[in-house]
């Protein structure tokens, strides 16, 4: 299983940055994850308008992501 890791910084305080994880269902590799990630990112961004996405990546899910 893969996770999309989003790095975002608060608009009101750009020095306040966090990483957020979005688990991706399904059996796919990182390339497929990267191709399918934009709708997940758009939905996340709509739900978190004060936290613009600075960067993101797909990586294997770890115990810390659950």
């Amino acid at each position: 299983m893969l996770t999309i890791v989003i790095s975002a910084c608060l608009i009101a305080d750009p020095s306040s940055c966090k990483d957020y994880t979005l688990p991706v269902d399904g059996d796919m590799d990182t390339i497929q994850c990267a191709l399918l990630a934009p709708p997940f990112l758009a939905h996340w961004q709509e739900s978190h308008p004060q936290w613009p996405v600075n960067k993101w990546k797909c990586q294997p899910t770890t115990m810390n992501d659950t």
Side-chain angles (χ1 to χ4, degrees):
M1 189 163 164
L2 294 173
T3 298
I4 300 171
V5 179
I6 297 171
S7 296
C9 297
L10 188 61
I11 288 175
D13 182 9
S15 65
S16 178
C17 300
K18 293 183 181 181
D19 287 343
Y20 297 90
T21 57
L22 299 173
V24 180
D25 292 330
D27 186 25
M28 65 179 77
D29 61 29
T30 54
I31 293 172
Q32 291 170 316
C33 177
L35 293 172
L36 297 173
F40 288 95
L41 297 168
H43 178 39
W44 186 90
Q45 187 65 77
E46 287 177 7
S47 301
H48 301 83
Q50 297 300 316
W51 292 89
V53 175
N54 290 337
K55 60 183 178 177
W56 62 273
K57 63 183 176 183
C58 291
Q59 69 181 33
T61 302
T62 66
M63 294 297 285
N64 293 335
D65 294 335
T66 56

